[in-house]
Amino acid sequence: MRKHITIQAETYDQIALGEYGDDLATREMMAENGTRDPRLLSVWRFDYGVTIDIPERSPDAATIDTLPEYRRPE
């Protein structure tokens, strides 16, 4: 598992986009980090220097089901 050090005001969506090339892994990345520290689930924008775990992704992991509910099409 890789680590990511946040920059000021960075979001989970931005981290997923930078790490995976798309933001479809946002939900699984949040779940992974929420298991380690439940407080990380309530963060909307990170402070500088927070360490986030970047889980390995299977090739078929990027689906609409992995999007946060607010990002899913209606």
Side-chain angles (χ1 to χ4, degrees), residues 48-66:
Y48 173 82
V50 178
T51 301
I52 299 297
D53 292 332
I54 307 298
E56 295 302 318
R57 234 173 119 189
S58 64
D60 60 338
T63 67
I64 200 75
D65 295 332
T66 61

Side-chain angles (χ1 to χ4, degrees), residues 18-50:
E19 293 288 336
Y20 300 118
D22 63 51
D23 60 357
L24 294 176
T26 301
R27 186 180 213 171
E28 61 191 90
M29 190 171 39
M30 289 177 75
E32 179 72 35
N33 285 281
T35 300
R36 179 175 54 91
D37 184 349
R39 294 174 296 174
L40 292 176
L41 291 175
S42 64
V43 175
W44 186 57
R45 295 194 181 273
F46 287 99
D47 290 330
Y48 173 82
V50 178

